[in-house]
Amino acid sequence: MLIVMWITLELCALTMLHSSGALGATAAIVLAIILLILLIADMACYLAYCHLPPMPAFIDGTAPL
């Protein structure tokens, strides 16, 4: 839930920056792609976290934060 809310907040901020004219279309698209890559990496860390022993799970779970 935290990861989904974070990506939603970032996309809303990106949309507002683009609609206000502070970001061009190319910059907004590049940043949206970076956010998508980060979302995939965060979800991969979270899924790995569910199947690891306690200490590696702690390390893997704190990486996205």
Side-chain angles (χ1 to χ4, degrees), residues 4-65:
V4 173
M5 290 187 328
W6 168 74
I7 197 72
T8 303
L9 177 66
E10 293 296 329
L11 287 173
C12 287
L14 184 61
T15 302
M16 291 303 297
L17 286 169
H18 175 63
S19 64
S20 71
L23 281 177
T26 305
I29 291 170
V30 168
L31 289 174
I33 291 170
I34 291 170
L35 286 173
L36 179 64
I37 292 168
L38 288 173
L39 173 67
I40 292 168
D42 286 350
M43 291 304 288
C45 286
Y46 177 72
L47 291 174
Y49 166 81
C50 294
H51 302 288
L52 291 173
M55 192 56 180
F58 174 76
I59 294 168
D60 188 53
T62 56
L65 298 177

